[in-house]
Amino acid sequence: MIQLSSSPHIASKITTRHVMWAVVISMLPEAVYGVILFGIPALLTICASVATAIVSEFLFNKITGKKQTVTDGSAAITGLLLALVLPPTLPLWQTILGAAFAIIVAKQLFGGLGSNVWNPALTGRAFLFASFPAAMGANWISPLPDAVSSATILSTLKQADAVTSATTVGAAAPIDYLALFFGRQAGCIGESSIMLILISAVFLIATKIVDWRTPVFMVGTFALLMWISGGDVLAHVLSGGLVFGAVFMATDYVTSPVTAPGRIVFGAGCGLLTFLIRKFGGYPEGVMFSILIMNSIVPFLNKLTPRMYGYKKQGGSK
């Protein structure tokens, strides 16, 4: 998730606010498409999550006497990101609980914007996953007009335990890679369309809101390891939250390294952990856990690859 921090791309409070809302706008295609795919339940989840995040931030600042920050866009980003990585069938009261936890516990209790250790939206999702595992991981529906219970591609891959050919999972029907790319698949609200996520990524990278290194090395490392292990690389990359997490979650200014080498290591580490969890763990996904684990070692990565301010290479001037 992209939020305020000491970033070279942000020069003022006004610019920061503009960047925040630009990120919100970049996620709107995924949100709209999620509503098209899953209908009113997805719309209600998005509205409930964003509204709860904004209200939670407002009330926390009001009660503690802190300066109001709801207009900077960070709470809206947290709420929208959380909603987009939730199942469309999740009960609204659980969505509200997760959004409040993300803002109050994962963000404000750590000191507010710029002080949190872990990505707030992913922390809120982890809280919901630990508290309501059945609702979070076992009740998927296919896109409209079918809207019936359906297993995700990752669940199918996990159940089959191995991919036996380039186009089939066990004895199942051939995988429709185009459908996965364009987003006709069961899953979380905003993770379905890889095409839309890539369009958002191009916009965010072109405007220098995010650094390309983290998402590229995260997806690249995962794909390389999956290929070496004999897995269906396309099926794994085009399904689940890998691309969404690489673009929107792993690039959070606050919880990712500040240096280029650090971002490369961070992205590669996220890709490695996602591969290990998907390939050898009992859970078919892994993106959420990989990013949160790597968030924990960001201070070490920043010290390992320190940034020097005010100096040039030998032979240059200060």
Side-chain angles (χ1 to χ4, degrees):
M1 182 181 60
I2 305 158
Q3 292 191 8
L4 173 61
S5 182
S6 53
S7 167
H9 305 310
I10 299 178
S12 67
K13 291 183 179 180
I14 294 178
T15 303
T16 298
R17 187 173 294 113
H18 289 168
V19 168
M20 293 289 187
W21 290 110
V23 174
V24 172
I25 291 172
S26 75
M27 290 188 288
L28 290 182
E30 288 83 355
V32 171
Y33 190 65
V35 174
I36 293 173
L37 287 180
F38 303 113
I40 296 300
L43 177 61
L44 293 177
T45 296
I46 292 171
C47 292
S49 183
V50 173
T52 300
I54 292 174
V55 171
S56 295
E57 179 141 321
F58 174 82
L59 291 178
F60 186 93
N61 289 336
K62 188 75 172 178
I63 293 171
T64 59
K66 296 176 61 178
K67 180 181 177 181
Q68 284 297 342
T69 55
V70 292
T71 59
D72 65 15
S74 62
I77 291 176
T78 297
L80 183 55
L81 275 173
L82 176 61
L84 294 182
V85 295
L86 293 179
T89 55
L90 190 71
L92 285 182
W93 70 270
Q94 294 180 12
T95 299
I96 292 171
L97 189 61
F101 186 91
I103 292 295
I104 296 173
V105 178
K107 179 183 176 184
Q108 294 293 355
L109 291 183
F110 280 89
L113 187 58
S115 301
N116 50 284
V117 177
W118 296 281
N119 184 292
L122 279 184
T123 305
R125 190 183 193 280
F127 166 74
L128 290 174
F129 184 82
S131 303
F132 315 104
M136 286 293 294
N139 191 22
W140 305 103
I141 59 172
S142 59
L144 295 173
D146 300 326
V148 296
S149 296
S150 174
T152 64
I153 293 296
L154 287 183
S155 296
T156 303
L157 289 168
K158 197 67 179 179
Q159 290 169 3
D161 195 39
V163 177
T164 58
S165 71
T167 58
T168 60
V169 181
I175 297 175
D176 188 342
Y177 296 113
L178 280 180
L180 295 181
F181 180 74
F182 290 113
R184 297 293 301 175
Q185 57 178 310
C188 294
I189 293 172
E191 296 175 349
S192 294
S193 177
I194 304 302
M195 178 188 70
L196 291 179
I197 298 170
L198 291 179
I199 291 173
S200 297
V202 170
F203 167 74
L204 294 171
I205 293 171
T207 54
K208 296 185 178 180
I209 294 176
V210 305
D211 189 332
W212 62 269
R213 294 173 180 84
T214 298
V216 167
F217 275 87
M218 180 174 175
V219 176
T221 300
F222 173 86
L224 176 62
L225 293 173
M226 187 59 67
W227 174 74
I228 292 173
S229 70
D232 189 326
V233 177
L234 272 180
H236 274 280
V237 170
L238 296 179
S239 57
L242 176 66
V243 179
F244 186 93
V247 172
F248 292 111
M249 301 290 196
T251 54
D252 178 9
Y253 290 149
V254 178
T255 58
S256 62
V258 297
T259 65
R263 289 168 181 166
I264 291 173
V265 175
F266 182 85
C270 289
L272 169 63
L273 291 173
T274 301
F275 165 77
L276 292 175
I277 294 171
R278 285 195 185 183
K279 191 67 177 178
F280 304 108
Y283 181 49
E285 189 41 280
V287 174
M288 173 180 70
F289 297 115
S290 70
I291 295 176
L292 289 175
I293 291 170
M294 291 303 295
N295 285 163
S296 303
I297 67 169
V298 164
F300 170 75
L301 293 178
N302 286 334
K303 292 180 180 180
L304 191 65
T305 57
R307 170 179 289 167
M308 298 297 293
Y309 295 94
Y311 290 91
K312 293 185 177 181
K313 293 181 179 180
Q314 189 173 2
S317 59
K318 180 177 179 179

